[in-house]
């Protein structure tokens, strides 16, 4: 088989954060596959077919990518941020594992990107400078009880925490519950960062004590980072800097 599937991360939004390796893969692609808003970030050109699909069809989209590669295409699958973080790389491997044996002969690579968590942390300072964990707050693909268990245990272990998909319009109650669990488990005024549309012209950063956080501060374009008990705030004339010391 001569075709390839390259699964790439486009970073958090700013074109300067797309790696040169990812740019090269896109320049050589015959087909680009992905969720509509991510495919929209790829410039159309002669010889390139764009295949944009709706959310929640990750496995179908992956199968389509593998089929086109099996037919000889140089297929690039796009995700935002990093493709291995709550994104397409796992979906492609699920489709590969369940699919025809012949697909395993394809050239399949994952090219990393700057994930939202790291772009958000950098924009605010260094809140993830010591031990941290990350949790996807969407209960699309796992039960809410599991999310709540992980939240509690991470708070108990005193990790800083980074939350993806914090609050969807269709199920806003999950993030209300998240804040309740954190207040119970952390029991103090530790800082929480709401970083919206990081690296784009719409970027907004808000740092508040957990006690003052409200559910409306988050939406699906927001990354939420909760400090550990050691996380600190430095006030400067240019705004707040949030950081966790190296020795916590
Ligand atoms: N693979 C992506 C994450 C996909 S999940 C990555 O590595 O970044 C989508 C979630 O990522 C969003 O709900 C939001 O929580 C976060 N996100 C993506 N881009 C963002 C940005 N520019 N600013 C803030 N959060 C972002």
């Amino acid at each position: 088989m001569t075709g390839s599937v390259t699964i790439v991360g486009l970073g958090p939004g700013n074109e300067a954060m797309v790696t040169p390796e990812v740019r090269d893969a896109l320049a050589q692609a015959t087909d680009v596959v992905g969720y509509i808003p991510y495919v929209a970030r790829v410039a159309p050109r002669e010889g390139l077919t764009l295949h944009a699909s709706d959310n929640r069809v990750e496995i179908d989209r992956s199968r389509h990518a593998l089929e086109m590669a099996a037919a000889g295409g140089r297929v690039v699958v796009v995700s935002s941020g990093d493709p291995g973080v709550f994104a397409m790389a796992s979906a492609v491997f699920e489709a590969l594992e369940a699919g025809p044996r012949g697909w395993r002969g394809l050239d399949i690579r994952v090219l990393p990107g700057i994930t939202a968590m790291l772009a958000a942390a950098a924009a605010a300072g260094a809140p993830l400078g010591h031990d941290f964990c990350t949790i996807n707050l969407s209960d699309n693909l796992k039960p809410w009880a599991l999310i709540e268990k992980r939240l509690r245990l991470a708070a108990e272990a005193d990790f800083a925490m980074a939350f993806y998909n914090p609050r969807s319009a269709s199920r806003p109650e999950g993030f209300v519950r998240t804040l309740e669990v954190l207040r119970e488990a952390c029991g103090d005024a530790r800082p929480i960062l709401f970083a919206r549309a990081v690296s784009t012209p719409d970027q907004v950063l808000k740092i508040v004590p957990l006690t003052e956080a409200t559910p409306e501060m988050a939406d699906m374009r927001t990354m939420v980072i909760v400090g550990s008990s050691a996380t600190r705030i430095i006030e400067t004339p240019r705004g707040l800097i949030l950081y966790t010391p190296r020795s916590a």
Side-chain angles (χ1 to χ4, degrees):
M1 283 197 189
T2 54
S4 63
V5 176
T6 311
I7 311 148
V8 310
L10 297 174
N14 180 343
E15 291 313 304
M17 292 187 184
V18 180
T19 69
E21 181 181 53
V22 166
R23 256 182 236 294
D24 286 352
L26 288 169
Q28 285 161 30
T30 55
D31 298 271
V32 167
V33 175
Y35 178 38
I36 299 157
Y38 307 150
V39 171
R41 289 177 56 187
V42 178
R45 62 170 163 77
E46 183 88 15
L48 173 66
T49 309
L50 301 174
H51 308 265
S53 45
D54 207 347
N55 218 350
R56 302 197 186 194
V57 292
E58 282 87 358
I59 300 292
D60 293 346
R61 190 190 288 150
S62 301
R63 249 186 249 119
H64 183 211
L66 288 157
E67 278 160 9
M68 288 192 292
R74 282 189 304 282
V75 183
V76 171
V77 179
V78 292
S79 285
S80 75
D82 181 273
V85 179
F86 309 131
M88 285 305 296
S90 296
V92 170
F93 292 127
E94 272 182 56
L96 177 71
E97 192 176 8
R101 202 91 197 158
W103 283 356
R104 298 186 185 197
L106 290 166
D107 174 8
I108 303 176
R109 285 164 215 236
V110 181
L111 307 185
I114 297 178
T115 188
M117 165 180 78
L118 299 184
L128 306 179
H130 197 75
D131 296 344
F132 68 91
C133 70
T134 184
I135 301 176
N136 183 350
L137 291 185
S138 165
D139 61 355
N140 270 348
L141 301 171
K142 64 187 167 189
W144 177 259
L146 181 61
I147 298 177
E148 201 166 314
K149 177 180 176 190
R150 289 185 177 154
L151 272 173
R152 272 188 200 286
L153 292 175
E156 191 183 314
D158 200 14
F159 284 115
M161 291 171 250
F163 302 138
Y164 286 79
N165 296 309
R167 184 164 173 260
S168 70
S170 56
R171 281 188 317 277
E173 61 282 355
F175 192 60
V176 175
R177 188 67 198 127
T178 297
L179 291 176
E180 285 170 6
V181 169
L182 288 173
R183 285 188 189 118
E184 287 164 26
C186 300
D188 62 7
R190 72 185 59 192
I192 176 163
L193 163 71
F194 293 89
R196 184 168 196 279
V198 175
S199 87
T200 78
D202 301 332
Q203 173 174 309
V204 179
L205 302 184
K206 261 191 226 122
I207 298 170
V208 296
L210 185 50
T211 45
E212 285 173 26
T214 61
E216 303 69 42
M217 289 179 180
D219 65 6
M220 287 308 266
R221 291 187 77 192
T222 305
M223 191 71 223
V224 178
I225 296 183
V226 182
S228 73
S229 64
T231 302
R232 305 182 57 79
I233 291 174
I234 306 175
E235 288 179 27
T236 81
R238 300 165 64 87
L240 301 178
I241 294 172
L242 186 65
Y243 86 103
T244 307
R246 298 288 310 282
S247 55

